[in-house]
Amino acid sequence: MNRKPLPRLLLLAFFLSFASAVMADVVLVEDGRARAKIFVSPAVMAVDQPGAKTSISEMEKQRERLRDSVKDLALYLEKISGAPIAIVAGPPVKEEGLVQVIVGEEAVKAFGAPGKTAPFKQGFRVVVKPGTVGLLGESDLATSYAIYEVLDRLGCRWYMPGEWGEVIPKTKTIALPEMDLSSAPGTIYRGIWYADDDYKRRNRHGGLLLHAGHALEGYISDAQRKEHPEWLAEVGGKPHKRRLKWSNPAVADAIGDYWLERLAKSPVDSISLSPDDGIDFDESKEDKAIDAGDFDTTSQSVSLTDRQLVISNRVAARIGAQYPNVLYGMLAYGPSTRPPVREKVHPNIVPQIAPITYSRAHPMTMDEVPDNKELRALIEGWGKAAKMTSIYYYAWFLAEPSAPNPMIKKWSIDVPFVLKNNCQFWQPETTANFETSMHALYLGCRLAWNPELKPANIIAELNTGFYGHAAKEMTTYWDYIDDVWVGTPDYSGCGFGYMKRWTPERLARARQMMNEAMAACATPLEVQRVRIADESLELFELFMKLRHDQAEGRWTTVAAEADQWRKRISYLGTKYKDQSAFTLMRWSPHTLSGSYFAQFYQQSYDEESRVAKEFT
């Protein structure tokens, strides 16, 4: 029988419907009713094991993280849809009409290992097929990443620590498209200092932590110093009680032996070779002889980078002969910030660039800013000299942390720049300052997870999702605050330049924008989210009133108002501790900002009020 060909549009419709049937979504929740169960090993879901041995502590930490991630998967699928999702601690069991969500080892058995590997076993895989979903990784840590990959694709976001920092979509039906995704984070490590474990886990912080803190001198004992006075540095014509003579090979040997003994008892992934903080380094002719003659303009001294690499390379070689996989964090900081001129960098040494002597408010592409060209050159130089680098950017305005400061333009430029130059460890110095710098804290780790993301899109999504009906007004506010930071040619690192940056007119405009944002809020949650920024601005308005009153001779009340400011930030730190805000930290019960205020400002206010009261 002769058949007429199908019309072209009908034929296209047929193929589209066929493709849709072949690639149908896998439905986990339908119209508020669960159609899936989560299956995971009983060992993963076990209670915590306190006092685990050091040798398995990392494994236990990862297991607990995966357990909490599994709980999050069920929790947020329910928050999205309203449907409770059961967690079964055991092998997957088929049930008619139910999708098996298989997590961890059982998923590896069912689907095979991830198709992508990554350092520290961070490769993960997400498999979505009719009737089953597999979430697995090279490790428990990586399997946790797979869980949050799914939640991320569903639209879940965690912008600020605490429950009201989360933005979760609402829909009665949850479906995942068929996929077989193998992936890995864009860096070996991502992390900030101050946020709760939930925030860090949900934003996929973690990996291999590079140890690079001030530590080098601590590896030589007092007894060794007494026995070997020739190991001691000379500072001011005298042997220094802490500093060491880096040119002496015996010092490197002793440090290497110290770590060989420790590693035999307790293996670690990384060791710090960074010296103590400070600027008083060895002035002996022996150590000066191993400098390369490069000059650091920001510290106004000869660069010590090549000198530091002499001892670091020796230590790395001695330990590496027995432990070839250990990494060595070495601070590129102070007089050692510039890249080397003469010395090669041992392949296992990871320089941690800490540009403390460079601009703290402006993007590094602004050539009118002193030393910005040099900063770019040194990041590029280290990226070429070392196998990989770590970055230790500062996520706060050093020495005055209380001012609103989202760092949007700065980190939108500076973070991608360093990631493109071989940075594999995103380890900025941060405080508990989500009220001032939420945008930067979220942006940095988001880019470190996926360097292909566009900063502008991340910021726009944050403002829209977090602020809701007040998104337009809060976007205007934060962009204005950011513009003031970037647009003011003031390059100091403390609050003494604030009167130039934060004029009364600029603060009045910021206040107007904030009032408009508060008025735009339509839900109690939106009010909470805007209010934390509002209280931050109120606190800063009082800070600036004190600065202007001091400068203009209105001294009668400055001591009392300064005391009020310190009490206020302590109160706000306690009020917003769950949001990691207002610089309340464990070691700073009256807040870091309050401590700095007491050191740099309070005494002058007290004295001025005394003068106003007692003098004519």
Side-chain angles (χ1 to χ4, degrees):
M1 180 184 296
N2 292 328
R3 297 179 184 272
K4 292 183 179 181
L6 291 170
R8 185 174 298 175
L9 289 178
L10 185 60
L11 188 64
L12 178 62
F14 170 79
F15 280 116
L16 287 176
S17 63
F18 176 77
S20 177
V22 171
M23 297 297 291
D25 288 348
V26 176
V27 179
L28 305 183
V29 178
E30 184 174 29
D31 196 24
R33 182 174 61 86
R35 290 186 53 183
K37 287 184 179 179
I38 301 169
F39 295 90
V40 61
S41 163
V44 169
M45 302 309 294
V47 297
D48 291 356
Q49 298 176 15
K53 294 180 180 179
T54 304
S55 60
I56 64 168
S57 61
E58 179 60 35
M59 293 175 58
E60 170 62 12
K61 190 185 303 180
Q62 287 196 25
R63 181 200 69 81
E64 292 172 9
R65 177 170 179 153
L66 179 55
R67 178 200 60 199
D68 294 340
S69 302
V70 171
K71 291 180 179 179
D72 266 356
L73 180 60
L75 171 67
Y76 285 102
L77 290 176
E78 182 176 356
K79 283 191 174 187
I80 292 170
S81 65
I85 306 294
I87 299 173
V88 179
V93 177
K94 289 187 177 181
E95 296 183 39
E96 185 68 29
L98 283 181
V99 175
Q100 298 172 321
V101 180
I102 311 172
V103 178
E105 292 179 358
E106 294 292 340
V108 174
K109 294 177 185 177
F111 301 105
K116 188 170 185 177
T117 61
F120 203 59
K121 297 183 178 180
Q122 294 188 82
F124 65 91
R125 186 180 179 192
V126 176
V127 182
V128 182
K129 299 170 63 175
T132 184
V133 174
L135 304 174
L136 56 127
E138 295 184 277
S139 61
D140 284 350
L141 174 67
T143 303
S144 170
Y145 295 159
I147 289 172
Y148 292 108
E149 180 69 24
V150 169
L151 292 175
D152 182 87
R153 287 169 178 251
L154 290 173
C156 298
R157 298 292 185 270
W158 297 272
Y159 295 119
M160 178 181 284
E163 188 172 359
W164 53 262
E166 66 183 33
V167 174
I168 309 300
K170 300 295 181 183
T171 178
K172 290 291 185 180
T173 297
I174 300 175
L176 299 176
E178 287 192 48
M179 71 175 82
D180 190 343
L181 168 73
S182 287
S183 188
T187 50
I188 296 174
Y189 181 85
R190 303 147 305 285
I192 60 175
W193 292 12
Y194 292 98
D196 60 34
D197 289 341
D198 290 341
Y199 177 90
K200 294 178 180 179
R201 183 182 68 252
R202 291 162 182 167
N203 283 293
R204 291 179 279 189
H205 295 189
L208 194 164
L209 176 64
L210 180 75
H211 292 288
H214 304 293
L216 188 70
E217 289 83 357
Y219 306 147
I220 300 296
S221 68
D222 290 341
Q224 288 173 305
R225 283 181 162 84
K226 290 179 180 179
E227 185 179 355
H228 299 282
E230 71 278 9
W231 293 1
L232 304 182
E234 297 175 20
V235 178
K238 300 177 182 178
H240 195 275
K241 63 179 182 180
R242 285 283 294 178
R243 293 291 188 200
L244 301 169
K245 193 175 293 295
W246 295 350
S247 58
N248 191 329
V251 175
D253 290 345
I255 292 172
D257 291 342
Y258 167 88
W259 271 106
L260 288 171
E261 184 177 346
R262 283 190 58 174
L263 289 167
K265 299 175 181 177
S266 179
V268 298
D269 295 305
S270 73
I271 294 169
S272 174
L273 297 182
S274 303
D276 285 353
D277 207 348
I279 57 174
D280 52 343
F281 291 93
D282 192 4
E283 300 165 357
S284 70
K285 62 180 182 180
E286 292 86 359
D287 267 25
K288 286 183 177 181
I290 59 172
D291 291 334
D294 189 28
F295 190 77
D296 190 317
T297 58
T298 63
S299 64
Q300 283 296 293
S301 64
V302 172
S303 171
L304 301 185
T305 300
D306 287 87
R307 181 195 298 195
Q308 186 172 346
L309 276 169
V310 167
I311 185 172
S312 297
N313 283 336
R314 287 170 175 168
V315 173
R318 190 172 185 87
I319 300 172
Q322 294 186 43
Y323 298 92
N325 296 321
V326 173
L327 297 180
Y328 307 92
M330 188 194 81
L331 271 176
Y333 171 81
S336 297
T337 309
R338 292 169 62 83
V341 173
R342 181 195 64 236
E343 296 297 317
K344 302 298 183 183
V345 182
H346 187 283
N348 286 37
I349 289 179
V350 183
Q352 186 170 88
I353 304 168
I356 195 170
T357 53
Y358 293 83
S359 175
R360 299 165 183 181
H362 301 81
M364 65 169 64
T365 51
M366 294 179 64
D367 285 346
E368 63 269 36
V369 177
D371 303 312
N372 256 358
K373 290 181 181 179
E374 184 179 316
L375 176 59
R376 297 197 302 272
L378 76 85
I379 288 174
E380 291 171 335
W382 276 115
K384 294 174 182 176
K387 185 177 178 181
M388 52 190 169
T389 69
S390 167
I391 191 66
Y392 192 87
Y393 281 155
Y394 297 88
W396 54 299
F397 197 58
L398 293 172
E400 204 308 288
S402 73
N405 185 10
M407 300 174 63
I408 296 170
K409 291 182 182 65
K410 181 171 177 62
W411 275 23
S412 291
I413 290 172
D414 290 9
V415 177
F417 186 90
V418 75
L419 291 174
K420 289 176 182 176
N421 280 279
N422 220 6
C423 175
Q424 280 293 306
F425 296 85
W426 173 249
Q427 297 182 241
E429 178 175 303
T430 71
T431 71
N433 62 335
F434 274 85
E435 84 287 2
T436 66
S437 306
M438 170 181 64
H439 293 75
L441 294 169
Y442 181 79
L443 174 67
C445 285
R446 190 77 171 171
L447 288 172
W449 173 262
N450 183 359
E452 300 303 316
L453 295 175
K454 303 297 183 185
N457 294 344
I458 295 172
I459 296 299
E461 183 191 77
L462 185 159
N463 285 331
T464 300
F466 191 70
Y467 292 116
H469 293 88
K472 178 182 176 182
E473 291 76 10
M474 286 304 291
T475 298
T476 300
Y477 169 78
W478 283 120
D479 283 348
Y480 178 71
I481 296 295
D482 201 54
D483 287 343
V484 170
W485 279 103
V486 174
T488 306
D490 182 88
Y491 312 118
S492 67
C494 195
F496 298 122
Y498 277 2
M499 284 191 294
K500 181 178 182 180
R501 176 170 275 122
W502 297 107
T503 63
E505 294 77 17
R506 287 173 172 175
L507 278 176
R509 189 174 176 192
R511 169 47 57 196
Q512 180 183 354
M513 292 174 179
M514 179 59 69
N515 291 344
E516 291 171 356
M518 288 296 297
C521 295
T523 69
L525 184 57
E526 290 170 0
V527 170
Q528 280 183 310
R529 290 169 174 170
V530 175
R531 180 58 179 150
I532 189 172
D534 181 38
E535 293 200 84
S536 172
L537 180 58
E538 287 176 349
L539 186 73
F540 190 59
E541 287 168 331
L542 177 55
F543 184 97
M544 289 310 301
K545 179 181 183 301
L546 283 162
R547 302 305 299 154
H548 285 287
D549 284 349
Q550 181 182 67
E552 295 164 18
R554 295 185 295 272
W555 291 359
T556 304
T557 61
V558 290
E561 289 183 340
D563 187 58
Q564 175 190 345
W565 190 94
R566 291 177 64 193
K567 289 178 180 177
R568 180 67 181 170
I569 196 168
S570 183
Y571 163 77
L572 290 171
T574 301
K575 177 180 178 180
Y576 290 109
K577 60 180 174 59
D578 290 343
Q579 285 69 46
S580 295
F582 293 96
T583 68
L584 180 68
M585 279 92 87
R586 291 183 300 274
W587 55 271
S588 183
H590 298 294
T591 77
L592 175 67
S593 295
S595 174
Y596 276 35
F597 189 94
Q599 294 177 58
F600 299 141
Y601 306 105
Q602 184 75 53
Q603 290 181 340
S604 64
Y605 295 137
D606 290 344
E607 183 66 7
E608 286 151 8
S609 286
R610 185 186 70 82
V611 169
K613 179 180 179 181
E614 297 179 5
F615 285 65
T616 60

